[in-house]
């Protein structure tokens, strides 16, 4: 009998299992794959996520893999350019990192094992075990082996958007919206652009950032209705989009970039939240909450809300409060803390800016100190309610002498943003 079973051991499940094991609980973590293994990902870890890695004693291990630090971020939205970096976090982190998932996930799984988690790789869960309405365990098998059953006080689904845990408990979705775009990406040598996040006219975007092994991830995003045409010749499509957004980088890409792995296409599921707790179960990571990859918050949110769930599950497991009450607080806090990021992501992932965001970002690009706040917002270090606060924006428009008409757009739309 375990205290907790975690289904899925990537960026949400492995830290959760590790944190609970460090508190002395008996934890089983299973995953259908074996590690190291790859998965579709933005790779991007914001400073807020790196601070959590640091607090867990794992950041140095990630840095030691040779993944390059990124200390200059380059964003464009049509003709708006915002370049810079957030101030260091409270624990001195002054860079972001984009490690390969073959590297990051293995570090997390090994850390869980080192903490005392019993990890079973290559184990596919076929169904949950119920006692009435309460989840009390899992059933599945490793490879061609026999079916096995494991039981626990709490079963957590950290098994992604297609979570079997979510399906078996009938977790209802809410606050949903259609996914806006598709992504194609691959890995290249000969790309020395640093971090680029460039959205051009005609609803198209390319991004690039350095990762392990002297390679860079280069990606494009376009509306979903153009997926079939792009898929016919993604190399040509990638070159065409980079040329259109930045001809200079397009020429460098044509001359020096060499693709070293197959393309990864991403047709992401719609944006959603799921009911993330019930009798004997909880959901974390993409199993419980998913948004468009445009803002690269998937890994950082998985860390953040894995930590939150570990803290609140501990209160229930320890008997300090009823488990149902603790898990309800987890879902409530996750939704409240992620609300601004969720809404911002859903808005700007449309690849066109609303008048409100256009006005805010255009004014931001003209203020050196507000650019710092912008990157603090992106990094998870500066509160969204302050960045988009009415008085803060009024001061910004006054500073940069923003046109009166544009100020009216901002003030009238801020209420609904």
């Amino acid at each position: 009998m375990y205290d907790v079973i975690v289904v899925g051991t990537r960026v949400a499940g492995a830290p959760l299992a590790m944190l609970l094991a460090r508190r002395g609980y008996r934890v089983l973590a299973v995953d259908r794959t074996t590690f190291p293994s790859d998965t579709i990902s933005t790779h991007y870890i914001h400073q807020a996520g790196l601070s959590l890695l640091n607090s867990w004693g794992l950041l140095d291990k990630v840095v030691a893999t040779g993944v390059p630090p990124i200390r200059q971020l380059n964003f464009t939205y049509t003709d708006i350019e915002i370049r810079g970096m957030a101030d260091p976090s409270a624990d001195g982190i002054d860079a972001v990192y984009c490690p390969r998932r073959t590297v990051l996930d293995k570090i997390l799984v090994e850390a869980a094992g080192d903490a005392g988690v019993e990890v079973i790789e290559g184990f596919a869960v076929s169904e949950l075990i119920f006692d009435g309405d309460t989840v009390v365990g899992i059933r599945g098998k490793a490879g061609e082996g026999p079916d096995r059953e494991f039981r626990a006080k709490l079963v957590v689904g950290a098994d992604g958007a297609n979570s079997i845990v979510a399906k078996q408990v009938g977790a209802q979705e809410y606050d949903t919206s259609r996914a806006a775009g598709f992504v194609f990406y691959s890995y290249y040598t000969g790309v020395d652009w640093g971090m680029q996040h460039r959205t051009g006219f005609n609803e198209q975007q390319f991004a690039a950032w350095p990762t392990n092994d002297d390679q860079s991830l280069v990606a494009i995003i376009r509306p979903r209705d153009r997926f079939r045409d792009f898929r016919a010749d993604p190399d040509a499509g990638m070159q065409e989009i980079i040329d259109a957004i930045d001809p200079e980088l397009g020429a460098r890409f044509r001359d020096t970039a060499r693709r070293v792995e197959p393309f990864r296409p991403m047709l992401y599921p719609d944006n959603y939240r799921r009911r993330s707790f019930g009798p004997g179960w909880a959901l974390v990571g993409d199993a419980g909450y998913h948004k468009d990859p445009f803002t690269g918050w998937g890994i950082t949110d998985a860390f953040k809300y894995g930590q939150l769930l570990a803290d609140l599950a501990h209160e229930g497991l320890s008997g300090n409060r009823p488990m149902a009450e603790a898990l309800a607080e987890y879902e409530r806090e996750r939704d409240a803390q992620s609300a601004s990021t969720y809404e911002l992501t859903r808005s700007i992932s449309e690849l066109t800016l609303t008048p409100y965001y256009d006005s805010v970002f255009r004014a931001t690009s003209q203020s050196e100190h507000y650019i710092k706040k912008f990157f603090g917002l992106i990094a998870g270090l500066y509160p969204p309610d302050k960045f988009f606060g009415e008085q803060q924006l009024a001061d910004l428009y006054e500073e940069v002498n923003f046109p009166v008409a544009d100020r009216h757009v901002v003030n009238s739309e801020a209420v609904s943003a």
Side-chain angles (χ1 to χ4, degrees):
M1 180 72 172
Y2 294 91
D3 294 304
V4 181
I5 295 173
V6 180
V7 180
T9 62
R10 290 193 183 271
V11 293
L16 170 67
M18 175 194 71
L19 291 166
L20 289 171
R22 286 179 176 179
R23 290 184 180 269
Y25 294 110
R26 189 176 182 214
V27 182
L28 170 67
V30 301
D31 199 294
R32 64 172 52 251
T33 193
T34 60
F35 297 90
S37 66
D38 209 353
T39 190
I40 298 293
S41 175
T42 65
H43 300 43
Y44 197 93
I45 310 178
H46 294 270
Q47 282 163 276
L50 294 169
S51 289
L52 285 168
L53 276 178
N54 191 44
S55 72
W56 302 335
L58 300 179
L59 179 57
D60 287 347
K61 291 186 178 182
V62 173
V63 173
T65 67
V67 60
I70 301 170
R71 295 188 172 91
Q72 169 76 21
L73 309 181
N74 303 288
F75 283 71
T76 67
Y77 300 93
T78 58
D79 59 337
I80 304 169
E81 295 189 0
I82 307 177
R83 305 175 187 273
M85 187 70 190
D87 288 328
S89 60
D91 49 1
I93 296 170
D94 63 351
V96 296
Y97 295 88
C98 301
R100 286 291 297 260
R101 293 296 295 272
T102 49
V103 171
L104 176 64
D105 294 3
K106 184 172 176 56
I107 289 172
L108 296 173
V109 171
E110 289 179 346
D114 291 343
V117 177
E118 182 180 344
V119 180
I120 305 178
E121 300 181 22
F123 186 93
V125 175
S126 57
E127 60 183 339
L128 302 181
I129 302 171
F130 288 84
D131 181 0
D133 294 333
T134 302
V135 176
V136 295
I138 61 172
R139 182 178 293 114
K141 62 182 180 179
E144 298 301 318
D147 281 349
R148 302 177 68 186
E149 293 185 0
F150 302 100
R151 297 185 178 243
K153 300 172 186 175
L154 178 67
V155 174
V156 179
D159 47 342
N162 296 315
S163 168
I164 189 171
V165 177
K167 291 175 182 176
Q168 293 260 310
V169 299
Q172 294 296 309
E173 293 185 358
Y174 59 97
D175 200 12
T176 60
S177 62
R178 290 282 297 167
F182 70 86
V183 180
F184 260 76
Y185 75 86
S186 189
Y187 303 92
Y188 293 79
T189 59
V191 175
D192 59 352
W193 312 339
M195 189 279 181
Q196 305 285 337
H197 202 273
R198 313 286 292 278
T199 306
F201 294 95
N202 301 319
E203 297 182 315
Q204 54 192 2
Q205 192 242 31
F206 77 85
W209 38 79
T211 186
N212 296 90
D213 303 322
D214 297 318
Q215 297 174 10
S216 289
L217 181 152
V218 183
I220 67 90
I221 302 178
R222 299 211 79 182
R224 290 172 73 91
D225 61 6
R226 303 185 189 183
F227 177 76
R228 183 172 296 179
D229 291 340
F230 189 91
R231 183 176 58 183
D233 190 350
D235 283 305
M238 179 85 74
Q239 184 68 60
E240 179 184 350
I241 290 171
I242 298 173
D243 283 340
I245 296 175
D246 191 318
E248 180 183 346
L249 286 182
R252 290 166 61 184
F253 188 69
R254 183 180 295 104
D255 291 343
T256 65
R258 297 293 179 268
R259 181 164 60 84
V260 296
E261 293 191 22
F263 278 106
R264 272 77 162 176
M266 291 193 290
L267 272 172
Y268 263 75
D270 293 341
N271 303 288
Y272 61 80
R273 299 184 190 277
R274 286 190 183 127
R275 179 69 185 272
S276 292
F277 75 97
W281 63 272
L283 302 175
V284 71
D286 281 353
Y289 154 56
H290 169 75
K291 60 196 172 301
D292 194 283
F294 188 89
T295 50
W297 263 87
I299 296 175
T300 299
D301 270 356
F303 289 171
K304 182 176 180 180
Y305 302 118
Q307 176 77 68
L308 178 65
L309 179 54
D311 291 342
L312 289 167
H314 164 62
E315 293 192 18
L317 290 166
S318 65
N320 288 338
R321 64 194 295 193
M323 179 64 81
E325 181 183 298
L327 295 181
E329 182 177 343
Y330 155 69
E331 181 183 271
R332 186 168 56 250
E333 280 298 307
R334 180 202 65 187
D335 288 359
Q337 293 178 25
S338 63
S340 57
T341 301
Y342 191 48
E343 291 307 318
L344 175 64
T345 300
R346 291 199 294 184
S347 177
I348 66 176
S349 65
E350 298 285 344
L351 300 176
T352 57
L353 293 178
T354 66
Y356 171 70
Y357 285 119
D358 184 281
S359 297
V360 173
F361 294 160
R362 196 172 296 277
T364 295
S365 70
Q366 301 173 41
S367 168
E368 184 175 344
H369 84 273
Y370 222 79
I371 286 174
K372 285 280 189 182
K373 294 180 180 180
F374 171 82
F375 285 112
L377 172 75
I378 296 297
L381 304 178
Y382 192 78
D385 60 329
K386 288 188 177 181
F387 184 86
F388 293 107
E390 185 174 343
Q391 185 58 53
Q392 286 86 346
L393 291 180
D395 292 343
L396 169 64
Y397 307 140
E398 191 71 31
E399 174 193 342
V400 302
N401 194 27
F402 219 57
V404 173
D406 287 345
R407 292 191 205 180
H408 175 71
V409 167
V410 170
N411 290 334
S412 63
E413 293 196 14
V415 174
S416 60

